[in-house]
Amino acid sequence: VPPVLCRCDIVAVAVSERRKGYGRALKEAVVDEARTVGAVAVASIVHRDNTAMTALNRQLGATVEQIPEDPEHCRCLIGPLQG
């Protein structure tokens, strides 16, 4: 069975609700579900100006790298996930 990579496309929180932990709760839920289904990692693309989401990904153990062909975004990879 090939390894499974979970792709997290969107985590969005209303402006009025930011800085209350909702983004972290959503992202942690994605990581937990990915782990449950046996995924090896969670990948997401984040706009380079979204420093809060980039920082959250790093806090959750992500490596963050620039995307040479898309300088407006960076790739965040949380993993390997432990089952």
Side-chain angles (χ1 to χ4, degrees):
V1 176
V4 175
L5 176 66
C6 175
R7 192 171 118 191
C8 180
D9 288 330
I10 297 175
V11 171
V13 176
V15 173
S16 62
E17 300 302 315
R18 290 186 182 159
R19 309 298 305 165
K20 296 180 180 178
Y22 297 126
R24 174 177 288 279
L26 289 168
K27 192 71 176 201
E28 287 176 345
V30 168
V31 172
D32 288 344
E33 183 64 20
R35 188 178 290 115
T36 298
V37 300
V40 295
V42 175
S44 55
I45 305 297
V46 179
H47 193 276
R48 69 178 181 165
D49 293 340
N50 191 344
T51 57
M53 183 53 73
T54 301
L56 175 57
N57 275 281
R58 281 192 170 111
Q59 290 167 12
L60 296 175
T63 56
V64 178
E65 61 183 34
Q66 296 302 309
I67 304 171
E69 63 275 10
D70 184 2
E72 293 292 312
H73 295 88
C74 59
R75 183 178 295 111
C76 300
L77 186 66
I78 301 172
L81 302 178
Q82 303 299 317

